[in-house]
Amino acid sequence: MSDVRLVRLDPTGADRDALVAFLSGEEFPFHVRRTISPEDAARTIDAGAFRDDEHDTSWLEHDGLGPIGIVRLEDLEDPVPLFDLRIAGRFRGRGLGVPALRAVTDHVFTSMPTVSRFEGQTREDNAAMRRVFVRAGWVKEAHYRAAWPVEGAAPVASVAYGVLRRDWETGQTTPVPWDDEPSTGLSVGR
């Protein structure tokens, strides 16, 4: 059992001020926007980006530490949902990423019976999150070169990970068949 659980939040009601404070009071160095102003956070929340047909958001609650961050589930009307995980700065580097991701994965597969795979992405230079994915049983599925915008710098690669329901159920990972392309006889280059 994980020490982290999801507690569904009410982004436009009772939890609005706390969510605005969290989003605008933290720096998220590996997200597209490192910082968010209180006005931008409020505008995004009020527009439904944290709860609508495609999104749902929960606090990440640790049994001993209380709220440690949030998770926003995305693309909920698609067969393969995604997520945005944000842990508060004071809790990063404390080994909470794996139990948080496992709690999110458990939530998706137990509450969404039609979902057969769950996906997430991070920047290539976010070594901590990449380790979290692997330690939580996820498999690297793609490396999108120069796909993640970086404010004031060149884009970096976006690395995609996924977990299959059957892998979650069995505790076994299904590897990606990277070397499955037939030889084409074509040379690379111009």
Side-chain angles (χ1 to χ4, degrees), residues 1-5 61-63 96 98-103 106:
M1 188 68 167
S2 172
D3 291 340
V4 177
R5 67 188 178 289
E61 294 269 349
H62 183 274
D63 291 343
L96 298 169
V98 172
L101 183 53
R102 285 183 176 149
D106 290 348

Side-chain angles (χ1 to χ4, degrees), residues 79 105-106 108-110 112-119 136-139 141 162-177:
T105 305
D106 290 348
V108 166
F109 287 134
T110 57
M112 301 175 193
T114 62
V115 170
S116 61
R117 87 185 275 290
F118 187 29
E119 185 177 308
W138 290 53
V139 175
E141 296 180 336
V163 62
L164 302 176
R165 176 181 290 278
R166 69 176 181 249
D167 291 358
W168 171 78
E169 290 172 340
T170 65
Q172 304 290 318
T173 57
T174 304
V176 175

Side-chain angles (χ1 to χ4, degrees), residues 173-190:
T173 57
T174 304
V176 175
W178 291 110
D179 298 320
D180 67 336
E181 292 183 21
S183 175
T184 62
L186 300 174
S187 62
V188 178
R190 295 181 178 184

Side-chain angles (χ1 to χ4, degrees), residues 20 24 36-44:
V20 169
S24 62
I36 304 169
S37 71
E39 298 77 20
D40 283 347
R43 191 171 19 263
T44 303

Side-chain angles (χ1 to χ4, degrees), residues 71-75 80-85 101 104-105 108-109 117-123 126 129-130 132-134 138-144 148 158-164:
V71 62
R72 181 174 73 147
L73 299 175
E74 304 171 349
D75 295 341
V80 181
L82 300 163
F83 71 92
D84 175 16
L85 182 75
L101 183 53
V104 174
T105 305
V108 166
F109 287 134
R117 87 185 275 290
F118 187 29
E119 185 177 308
Q121 295 191 28
T122 192
R123 287 170 37 159
N126 190 348
M129 187 64 200
R130 293 181 68 183
V132 164
F133 275 121
V134 172
W138 290 53
V139 175
K140 178 181 171 183
E141 296 180 336
H143 200 99
Y144 301 107
W148 194 291
S158 179
V159 186
Y161 291 80
V163 62
L164 302 176

